[in-house]
Amino acid sequence: MDDILERFEIHDFFGILLPGMTFLILLYFMDFPLLRDEIALLSQTFEIILFVLASYVSGTLIQEIASWVDDKLINLRKNARGRFFFDNSKVFQGAELTKVKELVKDLLGRRGSNDTEVTPDGCSAVYFMCKAHLENIGKMDDADKYDAVYEMSRNFIVCNFFVLICLLFMMWLTSGCEGSCGVIMIYLIISTPIFGHRAVRYSKMRVRKILRQYMDLRNTEKAKSNGGLQG
């Protein structure tokens, strides 16, 4: 139960709360109409609680939209888990890629077959086999950390998109752009491609981590089995 809560907290903070907070803070600094009017609250503590709750709700909406965009349009996760077998994926390279290909063919029951016979669906099936094995023995902590960074990066891209829409609205509303709007625009221009690069990289890193851990465990189990037979 503690492991589940730890993973939940990691994904909650990086994937939901942090993008939601960033979205509200940027809206505040651009003097957005819904946030610029001061509201008399009971206490500063209540104000902090309200901000955290609003951030969580905003972050949840951002995450749901980002998940839909990823699943239906971009397919970052799908490509990472379905293309790691192929040379141009750059998930694995050199001798390690050869070992991964042997693993995939072995788990799919296609030992000795050509590479062209392995499809992205087959790669995904192998990925989920390895992932399920690691989950069953509680070895997914490191991979989940990569996934948390991936979700954060992906969600920040969607967050930036909505901030841009609000910024353009403010520029239209005020017939110009104040200093804070210019700073926010620079932030969006610089941060969006960085988050995009990190999302691609960490989606591949998670797949690489899962496959590597599975292969290491498999080799360890084989070594123990061979040692037991010799004994």
Side-chain angles (χ1 to χ4, degrees):
M1 187 63 169
D2 291 339
D3 291 339
I4 295 175
L5 289 176
E6 286 178 6
R7 287 198 293 270
F8 178 78
E9 290 171 359
I10 289 174
H11 284 80
D12 251 23
F13 179 76
F14 287 103
I16 296 177
L17 195 58
L18 199 57
M21 283 183 173
T22 303
F23 178 68
L24 294 181
I25 290 172
L26 291 177
L27 291 189
Y28 174 79
F29 278 109
M30 71 173 67
D31 203 22
F32 199 73
L34 294 178
L35 299 177
R36 67 185 177 189
D37 297 328
E38 295 184 2
I39 302 175
L41 300 175
L42 296 177
S43 65
Q44 187 175 8
T45 301
F46 182 77
E47 187 174 306
I48 293 173
I49 293 173
L50 185 63
F51 171 69
V52 172
L53 289 176
S55 298
Y56 191 83
V57 172
S58 300
T60 301
L61 292 174
I62 289 171
Q63 185 185 44
E64 291 300 317
I65 294 172
S67 296
W68 183 89
V69 171
D70 189 9
D71 292 339
K72 303 297 183 181
L73 301 176
I74 303 176
N75 296 320
L76 282 182
R77 270 183 174 154
K78 184 177 180 181
N79 288 336
R81 66 174 180 253
R83 305 292 302 179
F84 66 86
F85 180 88
F86 304 100
D87 297 341
N88 60 357
S89 68
K90 297 183 180 179
V91 178
F92 298 98
Q93 295 179 344
E96 189 176 27
L97 178 60
T98 301
K99 293 180 180 179
V100 170
K101 289 183 176 182
E102 292 175 357
L103 173 69
V104 171
K105 293 176 183 179
D106 187 30
L107 292 179
L108 293 177
R110 299 179 184 177
R111 185 179 292 274
S113 62
N114 296 324
D115 291 353
T116 55
E117 296 181 26
V118 179
T119 64
D121 288 339
C123 289
S124 294
V126 169
Y127 164 81
F128 284 119
M129 283 186 231
C130 298
K131 181 173 177 287
H133 181 75
L134 294 179
E135 287 175 338
N136 289 336
I137 60 176
K139 296 290 185 179
M140 281 292 292
D141 289 347
D142 292 336
D144 283 338
K145 291 176 183 177
Y146 290 136
D147 194 44
V149 177
Y150 161 75
E151 284 193 3
M152 179 189 70
S153 303
R154 180 200 65 186
N155 294 353
F156 263 113
I157 296 173
V158 175
C159 172
N160 285 0
F161 175 74
F162 285 116
V163 169
L164 178 62
I165 292 176
C166 294
L167 184 63
L168 294 176
F169 171 76
M170 286 299 299
M171 293 173 64
W172 171 79
L173 190 66
T174 59
S175 299
C177 182
E178 299 179 356
S180 59
C181 292
V183 172
I184 293 172
M185 181 66 78
I186 293 173
Y187 161 77
L188 295 177
I189 293 172
I190 294 175
S191 67
T192 300
I194 293 175
F195 286 130
H197 174 72
R198 285 172 63 85
V200 173
R201 182 156 60 97
Y202 276 89
S203 65
K204 293 180 179 180
M205 288 175 66
R206 184 172 192 253
V207 172
R208 187 185 301 127
K209 185 66 177 180
I210 289 173
L211 268 293
R212 282 176 175 172
Q213 281 190 280
Y214 180 84
M215 288 190 294
D216 288 341
L217 288 170
R218 197 173 190 229
N219 292 334
T220 302
E221 291 171 358
K222 284 184 177 180
K224 289 181 179 179
S225 177
N226 292 334
L229 290 175
Q230 292 175 359

